[in-house]
Amino acid sequence: MADLWQEAMDHAVAVARKAGEIVRDALHNDMKVLCKSSSVDLVTKTDQKVEQLIIDSVKEKFPKHGFIGEESVAAGEPCVLSDNPTWIVDPVDGTTNFVHGYPFVAVCIGFAVNKTLEFGVVYSCIEDKMYMARRGKGAFCNGEPLHVSDQKEINQSIIATEFGSNRDPEVVDRIFSNMRKILCLPLHGMRGAGSAAINMCLVASGCVEAYYEIGIHCWDIAAAAVIVEEAGGVLMDFEGGPMDLMSRRIIAANNKTIAEKIVKEIKAYPAVRDDAPLQTKQ
Ligand code: IPD
């Protein structure tokens, strides 16, 4: 049977590649950096330009589809996942990396129907790595199949996480306290690429056993979530249940054993849901 969403996925790959070219070119030009929720939550003209390019091209081809885009939400658009086919876009995941020329920056396009993620495309454009996965059809990077690591011992693992963009000292203390617990298991190491999506693609690639973070948004993780699952990995909430895309927290791991070990060690702290009414986000 023909795959209903193959055309959409092909379009996502093509537009992600084009977007990646724009991001790469912009690295060599002067960039204007603006702040969003805080002085460390950055946005550039490139984020906005690339998101517009993706939205315009998708609207032309699939006029009935919906969008959730990082910069559109920042500009006041709603962040609600309906049953309608929805493109979930982060034009530049790793904006801080991009601003500093730190070479892990990804264009992320996830696609959900009936609230189920159907495919994901993550283009790590400085490395020129095109990660993609279609539900039920496997995960690939530049055409090569991806598989998670088969490691079951957390103390023989590398775990990735991030500091995020909240510099409230209480939140920073909790981040360090969680990292301390995990690191002292002890682990082989902790890493962070500065892009949630690339961290997750590294889990899918088998060189990092797990990634966890509180404070990410649905557009940071939607595309890579399909890639992790299709590479054989698991997505878990901090309570041990299935990942909730809108909850602002995620554990992506090579297997349940490692994910549950992380659940046992770390403590969640509140983050306002992505789909919370606008007034509660102020
Ligand atoms: C951020 C990156 C970062 C993560 C933050 C995200 P952005 O996304 O993924 O690694 O720590 O939580 O918000 O703002 O660069 O698209």
Side-chain angles (χ1 to χ4, degrees), residues 11-22:
H11 185 74
V13 173
V15 77
R17 205 176 282 288
K18 201 164 162 192
E21 273 169 35
I22 297 176

Side-chain angles (χ1 to χ4, degrees), residues 170-240:
E170 237 176 70
V171 171
V172 173
D173 282 348
R174 290 181 193 209
I175 292 170
F176 275 115
S177 157
N178 282 337
M179 286 177 81
R180 186 180 189 285
K181 280 197 200 130
I182 295 280
L183 187 61
C184 294
L185 283 169
L187 298 181
H188 275 183
M190 287 194 96
R191 301 285 185 273
S195 150
I198 293 179
N199 286 326
M200 290 170 73
C201 288
L202 292 173
V203 173
S205 305
C207 50
V208 165
E209 272 65 32
Y211 156 72
Y212 71 88
E213 188 174 347
I214 301 176
I216 37 83
H217 295 275
C218 58
W219 47 80
D220 299 315
I221 58 171
V226 193
I227 296 169
V228 169
E229 286 194 314
E230 285 300 315
V234 298
L235 305 169
M236 209 178 258
D237 182 62
F238 278 44
E239 313 288 340

Side-chain angles (χ1 to χ4, degrees), residues 23 92-94 97-98 102-107 123-126 195 198:
V23 175
V92 180
D93 186 47
N97 286 354
F98 171 64
Y102 193 79
F104 303 104
V105 176
V107 177
Y123 182 39
S124 178
C125 55
I126 302 177
S195 150
I198 293 179

Side-chain angles (χ1 to χ4, degrees), residues 36 40-43 47 70-71 90-98 104-106 108 161-166 192-199 211 213-217 219-221 248:
K36 291 197 284 187
V40 295
D41 184 10
L42 309 180
V43 63
D47 296 60
E70 173 168 18
E71 305 318 329
D90 188 343
V92 180
D93 186 47
T95 303
T96 307
N97 286 354
F98 171 64
F104 303 104
V105 176
C108 305
T161 191
E162 296 288 340
F163 297 110
S165 56
N166 189 333
S195 150
I198 293 179
N199 286 326
Y211 156 72
E213 188 174 347
I214 301 176
I216 37 83
H217 295 275
W219 47 80
D220 299 315
I221 58 171
R248 312 261 323 263

Side-chain angles (χ1 to χ4, degrees), residues 13-279:
V13 173
V15 77
R17 205 176 282 288
K18 201 164 162 192
E21 273 169 35
I22 297 176
V23 175
R24 270 197 308 264
D25 286 352
L27 268 178
H28 307 295
N29 297 322
D30 269 357
M31 55 176 97
K32 190 164 166 40
V33 183
L34 306 166
C35 298
K36 291 197 284 187
S37 63
S38 74
S39 63
V40 295
D41 184 10
L42 309 180
V43 63
T44 68
K45 288 277 167 222
T46 305
D47 296 60
Q48 292 157 346
K49 183 175 164 189
V50 167
E51 182 158 318
Q52 204 51 54
L53 168 97
I54 297 172
I55 292 181
D56 289 348
S57 81
V58 172
K59 268 194 184 151
E60 202 185 319
K61 216 166 161 53
F62 306 99
K64 291 192 175 143
H65 291 186
F67 289 95
I68 296 175
E70 173 168 18
E71 305 318 329
S72 314
V73 172
E77 292 285 321
C79 183
V80 178
L81 187 59
S82 71
D83 286 343
N84 196 35
T86 303
W87 296 66
I88 306 168
V89 175
D90 188 343
V92 180
D93 186 47
T95 303
T96 307
N97 286 354
F98 171 64
V99 166
H100 290 265
Y102 193 79
F104 303 104
V105 176
V107 177
C108 305
I109 304 179
F111 179 78
V113 183
N114 294 323
K115 301 189 183 75
T116 299
L117 290 164
E118 289 291 343
F119 66 74
V121 173
V122 173
Y123 182 39
S124 178
C125 55
I126 302 177
E127 303 179 282
D128 192 21
K129 286 187 175 174
M130 181 67 80
Y131 295 93
M132 64 177 94
R134 167 81 181 96
R135 185 158 303 285
K137 294 195 172 164
F140 300 86
C141 177
N142 291 350
E144 294 296 318
L146 296 174
H147 301 287
V148 293
S149 137
D150 58 10
Q151 183 57 254
K152 286 210 164 74
E153 304 294 335
I154 198 159
N155 58 11
Q156 291 181 41
S157 299
I158 288 182
I159 307 296
T161 191
E162 296 288 340
F163 297 110
S165 56
N166 189 333
R167 297 292 180 268
D168 172 350
E170 237 176 70
V171 171
V172 173
D173 282 348
R174 290 181 193 209
I175 292 170
F176 275 115
S177 157
N178 282 337
M179 286 177 81
R180 186 180 189 285
K181 280 197 200 130
I182 295 280
L183 187 61
C184 294
L185 283 169
L187 298 181
H188 275 183
M190 287 194 96
R191 301 285 185 273
S195 150
I198 293 179
N199 286 326
M200 290 170 73
C201 288
L202 292 173
V203 173
S205 305
C207 50
V208 165
E209 272 65 32
Y211 156 72
Y212 71 88
E213 188 174 347
I214 301 176
I216 37 83
H217 295 275
C218 58
W219 47 80
D220 299 315
I221 58 171
V226 193
I227 296 169
V228 169
E229 286 194 314
E230 285 300 315
V234 298
L235 305 169
M236 209 178 258
D237 182 62
F238 278 44
E239 313 288 340
M243 174 199 76
D244 171 349
L245 189 62
M246 295 291 163
S247 69
R248 312 261 323 263
R249 53 196 207 185
I250 188 172
I251 299 168
N254 60 334
N255 56 47
K256 228 173 145 210
T257 313
I258 298 276
E260 282 171 348
K261 192 83 187 156
I262 294 173
V263 167
K264 202 168 146 224
E265 293 300 327
I266 60 180
K267 275 210 175 69
Y269 44 87
V272 181
R273 291 179 61 84
D274 275 332
D275 54 3
L278 216 52
Q279 59 272 27

